[in-house]
Amino acid sequence: PTALLIVLLVVAASVAALTLLALFQKGVLAALKGPLSARVRVRYPDEAQVLAADYGANSFGLESKGKLQLRGNGALVLTPNELRFFQYMPESEIEIPLAKITEISFVRSHLGKATPYRLLKVQFAGQAGPDSIAVFVRDPDGMRAQLEQARIATSKSSTQS
């Protein structure tokens, strides 16, 4: 009975800790959404410009900046012409024109940082050569599908011009 009681206490403590961690993460993301959505509205005043957005995104960094950069919480926003990551701290933005994207895939690590989750990896032609970014988003399949659709629409409109 004592061993069973210890096991039950450990399980209960683990469940409580995980619940508190989940609530903390939700609270942090909710606190970030306000300032991030304000920045997105300034950049894209016409809400119709935003095809998709994830305000709980986490960037694993730009390949061109190397392994020493920190991960960054922020918003990943897709428009008809670009994919843009709004990093919360330090406040910065990474703009990737859809026409410059060369490949979209899923990975579980980027720049030496690993996760059990699938990351959306976007490879593109950067200013100094090939580059990439990997981002955790809540719905990687949905974001990839929307990104692919936007790329197709962009390529069709550029060939018709």
Side-chain angles (χ1 to χ4, degrees), residues 9-157:
L9 286 173
V10 168
V11 168
S14 298
V15 168
L18 289 173
T19 301
L20 285 174
L21 179 62
L23 289 173
F24 175 75
Q25 285 178 329
K26 279 188 176 188
V28 167
L29 292 178
L32 296 179
K33 186 175 179 183
L36 286 169
S37 62
R39 285 174 54 198
V40 170
R41 280 193 308 274
V42 167
R43 170 73 61 190
Y44 308 111
D46 178 4
E47 288 182 19
Q49 289 177 283
V50 177
L51 303 176
D54 186 325
Y55 290 91
N58 186 281
S59 168
F60 279 54
L62 273 175
E63 188 175 345
S64 60
K65 289 191 176 181
K67 292 183 176 186
L68 296 180
Q69 65 190 302
L70 298 174
R71 294 182 188 180
N73 290 320
L76 187 66
V77 177
L78 174 64
T79 73
N81 299 311
E82 67 187 22
L83 183 67
R84 186 177 292 259
F85 182 73
F86 292 82
Q87 187 161 312
Y88 183 70
M89 278 187 125
E91 190 173 306
S92 64
E93 294 179 22
I94 298 168
E95 173 192 355
I96 304 168
L98 298 186
K100 301 259 183 176
I101 294 175
T102 57
E103 186 177 340
I104 303 166
S105 60
F106 296 118
V107 296
R108 292 192 189 271
S109 68
H110 186 68
L111 299 174
K113 301 167 196 152
T115 179
Y117 305 104
R118 290 186 311 148
L119 305 173
L120 181 69
K121 182 174 182 175
V122 178
Q123 293 175 279
F124 59 97
Q127 292 178 353
D131 207 348
S132 70
I133 186 171
V135 183
F136 167 81
V137 290
R138 284 175 267 178
D139 180 11
D141 293 307
M143 184 63 81
R144 180 181 184 172
Q146 289 178 303
L147 184 50
E148 292 285 11
Q149 272 187 327
R151 285 181 66 210
I152 290 167
T154 297
S155 69
K156 281 182 182 176
S157 69

